[in-house]
Every structure is written in C-alpha cells, then in structure tokens.
Amino acid sequence: MNIDQLIGGAKTIGISSHVRPDGDATGSSLAMYLYIKKNYPKVRVDVFLEKVLPELTFIEGSDIVNTEFKTDVKSYDLFIVVDCSKDRIGEAEKFFDAAKKTVNIDHHVSNTGTGDEVYIVPDASSACELVYDVLDKDRIDLDIAKAIYTGIVTDTGVFKYNNTSPKTLRVAAELISYGFDFGKLIDHVFYEKTYLQNQILGRALLESIMLMDGKCIVSVVSRQNMEFYGAESNDLDGIVNQLLLTVGVECAIFMYEIAPLEYKVSLRSSGIVNVEEVAKMLGGGGHVRAAGCIVNGTQHDVINNITKYIHRQLEG
Ligand SMILES: [Mn+2]
C-alpha cells in the first residue's frame, strides 16, 4: 500500500475505527491523523471516533476527535478505516460509503477487507503495527511514535499475548528510539486503576472460589455490589485476567449481572481449555484464550452451565 500516494491525491480525508475505541483503534486513527497533519498540512483531516477513553487522552490529537459524527464534507476524497472493517465504525459508515476512495488497514482474521485499497494482516499484533508498516519512517515524529506504541502495548497486553511477534518487538524498539518514557506510558494505559476499580477488584478476588481441584476459578459481582461501589462495567475490566494469574488455575470465569438473572461472562484460559468453544456453546465468541458470552439464569445455574463445558474439556 502506498499511503503517501493516496494521501497526496486527496484534499479531504476522513479517518475512523470501531465503536467503543480501545488503545489500538484510538492509537492507529490518531497516528494516521498526526502523520497527515505533519506531512500534508494543507489537507483537511477529520477523525470520527466515539469518546476517547480517559487513559488515552494524552495521545496528541485526541482533542480534535469528532465524536458527534457531523461534518460539512459531502464526500471525502479519501476515507481510512483502521482496526476493523467498515461495518464496525458505527455512524461513520455513511462517510465511508460516500467517500471517493477508501482504505482499510486491519489485523482481524474476520475482516476480508472493505475498501478500494486494503492492507489486512491477520498475524499482526495490532492495527498500529500495520500503520507503522505503511508510513514513511523518515516522516514519523515523537507524537506519532507514542500513538503507535500505545496501540501495540494495549493489543498485546504489554508484549505478552501470543500475537506478539519478533517483528512486533522490532517495531516497538524503533518506536522507543524516538525517546519517550515508555514505562510511564505502559503504566498509564495498561496497569493504572482508579481507587474504585482497585476496590472492586479486591472484592472480586476476595469472593472468588476455586473449582475442579483448583483448575478453575470463578468470581461474581452482583448488581448490589456494583451499585455500592458506583462501578460501571468498564471498571471491571481486567478482573478476569487477575483471576487467571492464580497458581494452578487453567481457566478463569468472571461474571457480573447486567440485568436481573442476566450475566455478562468473561472467560480466560492459560491454554489448555479452549474458552472460545465454551463461549460459542452459550451464544458468545472470542478467541481460544479469551472469550465471553451473555447467559441467563440464576448465578448458580450460570456457573453450573459454564463449568460443565470446561469440565468436559479438562477431562478430555
Ligand atoms: Mn486492534
């Protein structure tokens, strides 16, 4: 993909990514934005994303993100979608459909490519890694490097998930050569929690129970507890990963009540259990080591239902 040729031929460019943008969606969108702003100052660029997460607002350009999805441009000369296919960009899809030329850069296996010019690499760690591939290395600056690094860090769980390749680390190495405090960045986007989040994490760990001779761990946060702490669903992110870090545990189940007798379930596996299969049986999906589903029933029924499938896999 010759991104410079595509950008060079445009006067107006729109950029978007998936709804509920994470570090990779935000980082890749803003890296592309900053690159165009820096190198093609005459081009009008709009970035359409839902609200930027508080821990990502340090990324340069996050203050210009158009969260209203309103524009006076009738038809963008170029519309770039990163980290998803065009059907996941929510309200921005109408701008994509109306654009004169479209580009899609993504790393999701499920994305077969939507756009005139596509760069889809399912093995890549992140959309950010792919954005780095297409950009001219001589025209990247510190802010662009930080935006790209952020997406790689969040999508790889700080270089830990198996989507991390030697190439991912080489890209990261080149990025840190721009000279920023990457330790601080990692803590800020990945490890830091609010006091409230730490409290509810503590509660979930305290009330967790071990099943199947300690191979499986379960914890539930009730609606009463969420209300007591004033927690939103995003305050519960990461609890399931912490549960999985218990010695001997192969599979972690974390669930919270989204409505009476309805639970949002997150599953994590250290590798032996295929939690995607478990989630699929219950109408959900995900990956081998990380999956989720929504299950109806009493807390007891839901746990029984899920552990039945996990037990089968551990026995087999
Ligand atoms: Mn991604």
Side-chain angles (χ1 to χ4, degrees), residues 148-209:
I148 296 173
Y149 190 82
T150 299
I152 295 176
V153 159
T154 53
D155 261 27
T156 61
V158 194
F159 310 108
K160 194 184 101 162
Y161 304 150
N162 56 7
N163 61 358
T164 308
S165 68
K167 188 203 150 207
T168 310
L169 295 173
R170 280 193 287 269
V171 169
E174 287 169 27
L175 291 169
I176 66 168
S177 73
Y178 285 86
F180 54 90
D181 190 339
F182 54 86
K184 197 171 149 194
L185 187 152
I186 289 169
D187 275 345
H188 185 69
V189 301
F190 203 84
Y191 292 115
E192 265 179 16
K193 286 177 178 290
T194 63
Y195 179 59
L196 181 161
Q197 288 164 349
N198 268 335
Q199 277 190 306
I200 201 135
L201 166 68
R203 181 89 186 229
L205 297 179
L206 192 66
E207 291 178 0
S208 64
I209 47 168

Side-chain angles (χ1 to χ4, degrees), residues 66-237:
N66 184 324
T67 54
E68 303 286 317
F69 295 88
K70 289 196 181 91
T71 176
D72 55 351
V73 178
K74 281 202 183 66
S75 167
Y76 285 96
D77 294 333
L78 186 66
F79 202 91
I80 304 170
V81 172
V82 284
D83 199 29
C84 65
S85 52
K86 70 140 190 156
D87 52 356
R88 283 186 65 212
I89 61 176
E91 285 186 64
E93 196 175 348
K94 54 182 184 280
F95 306 136
F96 181 97
D97 290 337
K100 298 190 183 88
K101 195 157 200 139
T102 53
V103 166
N104 190 191
I105 299 171
D106 190 21
H107 68 120
H108 289 92
V109 189
S110 54
N111 187 352
T112 50
T114 47
D116 302 319
E117 300 272 344
V118 300
Y119 184 49
I120 316 269
V121 184
D123 290 340
S125 68
S126 53
C128 277
E129 186 179 321
L130 299 176
V131 165
Y132 184 75
D133 283 348
V134 301
L135 299 185
D136 179 350
K137 310 298 172 279
D138 296 331
R139 300 205 282 167
I140 291 177
D141 64 14
L142 173 70
D143 289 329
I144 298 168
K146 279 167 81 174
I148 296 173
Y149 190 82
T150 299
I152 295 176
V153 159
T154 53
D155 261 27
T156 61
V158 194
F159 310 108
K160 194 184 101 162
Y161 304 150
N162 56 7
N163 61 358
T164 308
S165 68
K167 188 203 150 207
T168 310
L169 295 173
R170 280 193 287 269
V171 169
E174 287 169 27
L175 291 169
I176 66 168
S177 73
Y178 285 86
F180 54 90
D181 190 339
F182 54 86
K184 197 171 149 194
L185 187 152
I186 289 169
D187 275 345
H188 185 69
V189 301
F190 203 84
Y191 292 115
E192 265 179 16
K193 286 177 178 290
T194 63
Y195 179 59
L196 181 161
Q197 288 164 349
N198 268 335
Q199 277 190 306
I200 201 135
L201 166 68
R203 181 89 186 229
L205 297 179
L206 192 66
E207 291 178 0
S208 64
I209 47 168
M210 297 281 249
L211 302 169
M212 301 174 210
D213 294 327
K215 289 198 178 73
C216 183
I217 191 165
V218 186
S219 189
V220 187
V221 169
S222 67
R223 275 175 84 76
Q224 291 102 294
N225 272 338
M226 283 185 73
E227 277 160 26
F228 177 80
Y229 292 102
E232 310 277 343
S233 59
N234 66 305
D235 292 318
L236 309 174
D237 290 351

Side-chain angles (χ1 to χ4, degrees), residues 28-48:
S28 55
S29 299
L30 290 175
M32 192 59 87
Y33 165 80
L34 293 167
Y35 181 83
I36 299 168
K37 273 312 226 193
K38 176 183 161 68
N39 299 298
Y40 304 86
K42 285 186 187 140
V43 176
R44 150 99 180 250
V45 202
D46 296 326
V47 182
F48 300 96

